[in-house]
Amino acid sequence: MKKRTLLKHFAVVAGALSALTAVPAHAQNAYPTRPVTVIVPQAPGGANDAIARIVTLKLGEVLGQNFLVDNRPGAGGNVGTAQAAKAKPDGYTLMLTTNSAHVINPSIYKNTGFDPVKDFEPVGLVASAGYVLVANSAFPVNSVADLIAQAKAKPGQISYASAGNGTLNHLIGEMLKRAAGIDMLHIPYKGSSGAATDVAGGQVPVSVQSLPSSLPFLQSGKIKVLGVVNEKRLAALPNAPTIGETLPGFGSTPWYGLLAPAGTPKDIVAKLQAALEKTLASKEVIDKLAAQGCEVLTGGPVQFAALIKEDLPRWSKIVKDSGAQID
């Protein structure tokens, strides 16, 4: 009798343990059961913010839960990226970031506060964005060649605004200076919208901006495009020449992607990837991104991880060759 009672007791305990261990699996399969925070390591008003708001709205519809954009700018994207890296890996904190913060910053900053490979689980690529060299509409230059001529005639006297030290806007400006053999004064702002606003207002004559942050000022005629940063002309600005058409070999197309903290369960990453693919296939999302001068990029965790690993040494060389440094 004692043996039967003991066996019965073990059976009850085993059943209870089985039920307990089944809860996490059930929770993962039901993911998400509450709102998901998506960290954007840049200030509102730029390309990453615009892309994140378009994509997260649809992603939330696909998964039946709210996806909330949380802007955490600072140190060229390092602040928000480091916070995302340290977040609990349960699928409820994600990050939508750009190549400037993720693969360029490690070559510019001595300590970013994160490892771009070890600290994250790539979910998938999201989009690419158009970047443009712009000037105040009253500034007496109308092309990249005009700007180069002016800068050579007035070395160090023409200033350019960026979204902050170490941002892509800053780095591209430094690359332009080196490629053209000119000297311009860098004026860092705390975000792209502030830089674009001051160029439109005439406080600073020139800036490198994402197309989403430039569009309102382009449409109002307060700024003009001198050249496209991307390797190819933009569909949204078919008549605007690339900088590479004046300076052969010059060009860069920024990418944006969704990542989760390292250790996030594989089934959650897979569920997010599937939902992201469905989101990016939506005509509504494609059209909204196109209206911002952006295009959908496709690629799951494997392709995204490979791109990050390829871009790190490539941008390290570009940074070194450009001579760009944090002011």
Side-chain angles (χ1 to χ4, degrees):
M1 287 293 293
K2 288 183 179 180
K3 187 176 182 181
R4 282 184 191 171
T5 302
L6 192 59
L7 288 172
K8 185 176 181 181
H9 175 72
F10 282 150
V12 170
V13 172
L17 288 173
S18 177
L20 284 172
T21 56
V23 172
H26 172 73
Q28 288 179 19
N29 291 335
Y31 170 87
T33 59
R34 55 187 170 86
V36 176
T37 296
V38 180
I39 291 175
V40 169
Q42 288 82 29
N48 199 19
D49 181 64
I51 291 168
R53 293 183 187 280
I54 292 169
V55 171
T56 54
L57 182 63
K58 190 65 177 181
L59 194 59
E61 292 177 10
V62 172
L63 287 171
Q65 191 57 258
N66 288 330
F67 277 64
L68 308 173
V69 172
D70 183 4
N71 296 91
R72 298 190 190 181
N78 289 342
V79 171
T81 306
Q83 290 173 340
K86 295 176 178 66
K88 186 177 180 181
D90 57 3
Y92 289 95
T93 300
L94 308 173
M95 179 177 71
L96 204 156
T97 193
T98 178
N99 62 335
S100 63
H102 210 71
V103 300
I104 299 176
N105 279 6
S107 296
I108 298 178
Y109 292 85
K110 290 181 179 178
N111 182 18
T112 59
F114 64 90
D115 186 300
V117 176
K118 295 179 181 178
D119 288 343
F120 295 94
E121 300 280 354
V123 176
L125 288 163
V126 173
S128 64
Y131 265 67
V132 286
L133 176 65
V134 298
N136 178 270
S137 58
F139 189 56
V141 301
N142 292 302
S143 67
V144 173
D146 287 348
L147 177 63
I148 293 171
Q150 280 266 20
K152 286 186 175 181
K154 301 175 181 179
Q157 295 181 44
I158 297 174
S159 57
Y160 77 96
S162 82
N165 288 321
T167 60
L168 188 60
N169 318 65
H170 174 203
L171 182 59
I172 291 170
E174 294 299 313
M175 290 168 63
L176 176 63
K177 285 165 55 176
R178 188 174 183 86
I182 57 176
D183 182 24
M184 295 192 297
L185 178 64
H186 175 222
I187 309 294
Y189 282 73
K190 293 181 179 179
S192 58
S193 60
T197 298
D198 273 12
V199 172
Q203 285 84 354
V204 185
V206 178
S207 182
V208 173
Q209 290 286 323
S210 68
L211 197 50
S213 63
S214 304
L215 279 174
F217 303 110
L218 286 171
Q219 291 164 350
S220 66
K222 293 181 179 179
I223 64 174
K224 55 190 173 185
V225 174
L226 303 181
V228 171
V229 173
N230 303 55
E231 289 93 345
K232 298 179 181 179
R233 292 195 182 197
L234 301 174
L237 298 171
N239 296 322
T242 66
I243 295 175
E245 290 175 46
T246 300
L247 297 171
F250 189 98
S252 177
T253 299
W255 54 252
Y256 300 79
L258 186 67
L259 299 106
T264 300
K266 298 297 183 184
D267 58 339
I268 288 180
V269 173
K271 192 166 188 178
L272 284 166
Q273 178 199 0
L276 182 61
E277 288 179 358
K278 188 173 182 179
T279 294
L280 297 177
S282 163
K283 185 178 184 302
E284 176 187 6
V285 169
I286 293 170
D287 290 346
K288 284 183 177 180
L289 288 174
Q292 294 291 326
C294 304
E295 295 181 3
V296 165
L297 279 182
T298 57
V302 174
Q303 293 87 350
F304 192 9
L307 177 61
I308 290 170
K309 290 179 180 179
E310 289 171 5
D311 269 5
L312 284 166
R314 185 171 72 86
W315 274 103
S316 178
K317 184 178 186 305
I318 291 173
V319 169
K320 184 178 179 181
D321 290 347
S322 73
Q325 296 179 343
I326 298 300
D327 295 346

